[in-house]
């Protein structure tokens, strides 16, 4: 048995982090020695929350997971993995995600042979969650309080002026 540190990344945009993301972080933390939750921080007009806000929410969401840290990244995810000694990309897989996710997994495997992509099926209760849908529903006055951490819900209502 090799005694190398098993290090994984959970990448995403996290605009904002949802209960579905947090479930994947928790399960990844159980499977791996060290986990980096890495938020893509390339500037984009389409974000509701800027990079610092997203990272701050992620840090609160991961506060009770001792082997998880939060970071921002720009550029290729595979470059980030190689630069940080990360062997696995871990993502949640919802109904409908498969085709695009497999395309990305194959591209990432082509870019960095030593980095595996691992998919964890979302729990049934989280299988419909998406940050984009949560933002749309919240902006139209729907109740998303059970779908995101409490502090994310407050930030959403404040940002949307509700
Ligand atoms: O939460 P999202 O928006 O589905 O996350 C997408 C993300 C950030 C994981 C993906 O866009 C990504 O890996 N971006 C980094 C740039 C990159 O490596 N692109 C090639 C992917 S094959």
């Amino acid at each position: 048995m090799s005694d190398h540190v098993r290090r994984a990344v959970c990448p995403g945009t996290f605009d904002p982090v949802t209960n579905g993301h947090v479930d994947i972080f928790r399960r990844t933390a159980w499977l791996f020695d060290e986990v980096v939750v890495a938020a893509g921080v390339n500037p984009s007009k389409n974000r509701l929350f800027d990079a610092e806000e997203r990272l701050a929410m992620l840090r609160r969401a991961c506060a009770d997971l001792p082997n998880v840290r939060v970071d921002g990244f720009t550029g290729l995810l595979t470059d980030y993995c190689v630069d940080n000694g990360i062997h696995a990309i871990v993502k949640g897989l919802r109904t409908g995600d498969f085709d695009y996710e497999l395309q990305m997994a194959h591209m990432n495997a082509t870019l960095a042979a030593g980095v595996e992509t691992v998919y964890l099926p979302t729990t049934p209760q989280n299988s419909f969650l998406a940050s984009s849908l949560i933002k749309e529903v919240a902006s139209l006055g729907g109740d998303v309080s059970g779908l995101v951490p409490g502090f994310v819900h407050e930030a959403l209502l404040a940002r949307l002026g509700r």
Side-chain angles (χ1 to χ4, degrees), residues 11-14 21 40 73 75-78 91 103-104 107-108:
T13 304
F14 308 120
H21 295 133
F73 79 102
L76 282 177
L77 179 60
T78 46
K91 293 174 163 184
Q103 190 180 15
M104 283 200 282
M107 179 60 85
N108 285 334

Side-chain angles (χ1 to χ4, degrees), residues 33-131:
D33 298 319
E34 295 177 9
V35 179
V36 183
V37 171
V41 295
N42 284 324
S44 166
K45 287 188 202 142
N46 300 326
R47 308 266 188 264
L48 185 60
F49 296 101
D50 69 24
E52 279 313 314
E53 291 170 324
R54 285 181 282 130
L55 291 171
M57 285 190 272
L58 284 167
R59 290 197 180 99
R60 275 186 83 172
C62 297
D64 67 334
L65 300 172
N67 59 336
V68 177
R69 67 183 177 84
V70 172
D71 195 11
F73 79 102
T74 54
L76 282 177
L77 179 60
T78 46
D79 286 345
Y80 181 84
C81 291
V82 171
D83 292 347
N84 291 278
I86 290 168
H87 316 287
I89 298 166
V90 182
K91 293 174 163 184
L93 196 69
R94 296 164 299 199
T95 318
D97 282 340
F98 184 75
D99 288 356
Y100 184 52
E101 285 296 339
L102 197 65
Q103 190 180 15
M104 283 200 282
H106 287 159
M107 179 60 85
N108 285 334
T110 304
L111 293 169
V115 180
E116 289 286 352
T117 300
V118 178
Y119 291 109
L120 299 180
T122 60
T123 61
Q125 60 269 36
N126 289 335
S127 64
F128 63 98
L129 291 190
S131 298

